Every structure is written in C-alpha cells, then in structure tokens.
Amino acid sequence: MPELARSAALITGGTTGLGFEIARRFMQEGASVVLTGRDAALGAAAEERLASFGAAKFIQADAGDPDQVRASVDQAVALLGGFDILVNNAGVGVQAGVLDTPLDSYDLVMDVNVRGAFVYAQAAFPHLEARGGSMLHVASDAGLMGEADIGIYSVSKAALVMLSNMLAIEGGRRGVRSNAVCPGDTAPGMRHMGPPGHDRPEDDPNGWIVPPLGRVGEAIDVAEAAVYLCSPRAAFVNGVALLVDGGMRAGMRTDRTPGP
C-alpha cells in the first residue's frame, strides 16, 4: 500500500522547488494535496504538472500575511474535508550578512519563514489533532550552523527548528507530531534569495561546494525524507531536525586551499 494512502496534505510554497517535489512524491504515495503560493500562474502550472498523479489544488496565499494564511487553511479544509499533514515549506531569504541586512529585508524573512510557519501551525492544529496528524517544517542546514553571507536567513531557520521542537512538545501530548527537515545545498535553489532589494534565482549550483557524497543535493532527496517523516513509519519520530546534506555538516570542511 502507498505510504500516504488516504492522507491529505497542505503544502505551503508548493508550486516550485522543494515544495513542488514534496507534493509530487506525496501524491505518488497516495496523498491528496493542496498547494499554496503567491503566484497564481505558477500555481496553475503546478496543478497541470501534477495532474498525472491526481487532482492537486492550488490556493493563492502569501505566508507573510496572517489573514491569507488563515484563509488558506480554511480553504484547504473545505477542499480536502480536513487534512492530516501540514508542510511548512514557504520561505524567502536575503544574501547579506546580519549587519548589512536592511530592516525591511529582516521583516520579510522573519514574517514568511517564522511568523508564517507559526500562524500556519496554529491555524492547522485543530484539524491535525482531529486526525492524529503531523507537521513538517522545511528548515535548513544554515539553521543548525549559521552561514555568514545569509545571516538573517540562518537566524530564521534556527528559529523554525526551535518552533518545530516546541510544537513537538505541546502537540505530541495531543497526538500531533512535529519535525523539521534541514536540507543542505540543493538544486534547484530558492527562487526568493538575492541581495537586499532583489528577488532572483540562486546562482548556478555548479559553483557550490560539493559535500562528501560527491554531488549537490536534489529536490527528490528532501522529498524522500519528507515522505518518511510524515508517514506511519515515523509514528514515534517527534521533535527531530533531520539533516539532508550529503554529509556536509559531518565535520570541518577540508576541500579549501590552505591559506599562507
């Protein structure tokens, strides 16, 4: 039997990248899926691309807007009749050190990556509790070991990991699991990660440092971890921050040329 048979999932930021691949794998494993995102054209394209796996539905919603977050949860419940899984994947970032990050960029990153996940968790919780469901929060390896050139993004993902932990404690007592997955460098990169004031795709992954396993991560690597963490096989897994980084954080990097 498929791993997620008879499950229903709400996946935020699900129209491209990791969110889309998670949606695709969930549907392959039997789940009904609703996606959210800010861009209606990308949402329609995602529905079409997923049509061969079932009838995925798109809801236009900005994770940085609490009213849109709550409304999208209500719409998802109406479409799915309730749901078992919340995937907090929507995220943005800024390529800047902490001291060079403007306040408006800070607000955007924290509003989407942390407050958005918080509001989604609160709004979704009664529906997850009714079915003994689970939450998955897409954090980052940068939330476990900070990266100076994406400082506020690192701060936001560290906060998301801790939010997941606190939800695991409170929710676990009421039958709802909460876990985080922490991808390393994964292609395709985030659509919304540029210098302050810019919104552009990530640089060519050919320029990224390669982890010990010898390749940059792929979206399917994260999606497979997501399937496991949201499946009945992980029924006793709660409060985990699972690195999916090919071993990059296993130790000190040794692939750089020594200095003088």
Side-chain angles (χ1 to χ4, degrees):
M1 179 177 292
E3 297 237 27
L4 300 178
R6 295 186 293 276
S7 294
L10 171 59
I11 302 172
T12 75
T15 59
T16 61
L18 296 182
F20 178 84
E21 188 64 16
I22 290 170
R24 187 183 71 82
R25 282 294 294 121
F26 275 24
M27 294 180 74
Q28 285 181 322
E29 293 295 338
S32 302
V33 168
V34 166
L35 315 171
T36 74
R38 295 187 296 178
D39 189 316
L42 289 176
E47 285 183 337
E48 184 175 349
R49 291 168 64 196
L50 292 168
S52 61
F53 305 107
K57 299 296 184 182
F58 169 72
I59 297 171
Q60 188 171 10
D62 182 349
D65 184 323
D67 291 335
Q68 292 186 37
V69 167
R70 297 185 187 100
S72 69
V73 170
D74 291 341
Q75 289 176 265
V77 170
L79 288 168
L80 296 170
F83 55 91
D84 310 89
I85 300 166
L86 169 67
V87 179
N88 267 323
N89 172 72
V92 297
V94 59
Q95 291 179 336
V98 169
L99 298 178
D100 294 324
T101 300
L103 183 58
D104 59 349
S105 295
Y106 169 90
D107 287 341
L108 174 63
V109 172
M110 298 302 285
D111 286 353
V112 173
N113 295 4
V114 185
R115 189 183 67 183
F118 165 72
V119 178
Y120 263 114
Q122 284 192 327
F125 189 85
H127 308 289
L128 298 175
E129 185 177 22
R131 296 193 179 189
S134 67
M135 305 180 195
L136 180 66
H137 312 277
V138 180
S140 170
D141 62 343
L144 301 179
M145 183 178 292
E147 297 186 17
D149 58 348
I150 50 171
I152 293 303
Y153 178 79
S154 295
V155 170
S156 74
K157 292 302 187 177
L160 183 58
V161 170
M162 187 53 66
L163 175 64
S164 177
N165 289 350
M166 296 302 99
L167 290 166
I169 294 170
E170 292 190 41
R173 296 170 181 146
R174 297 164 63 176
V176 177
R177 298 183 299 112
S178 174
N179 292 293
V181 62
C182 299
D185 287 348
T186 304
M190 286 180 57
R191 292 181 60 247
H192 308 292
M193 178 76 87
H198 295 270
D199 185 4
R200 60 170 179 76
E202 284 261 271
D203 293 332
D204 183 350
N206 289 327
W208 296 350
I209 295 174
V210 177
L213 282 181
R215 65 174 175 86
V216 170
E218 300 175 4
I220 187 62
D221 299 317
V222 181
E224 293 292 356
V227 169
Y228 166 69
L229 288 171
C230 296
S231 75
R233 286 191 296 143
F236 200 60
V237 180
N238 188 37
V240 161
L242 177 63
L243 266 171
V244 183
D245 71 344
M248 185 66 82
R249 303 292 189 181
M252 294 292 290
R253 292 177 178 174
T254 60
D255 49 2
R256 299 182 185 273
T257 302

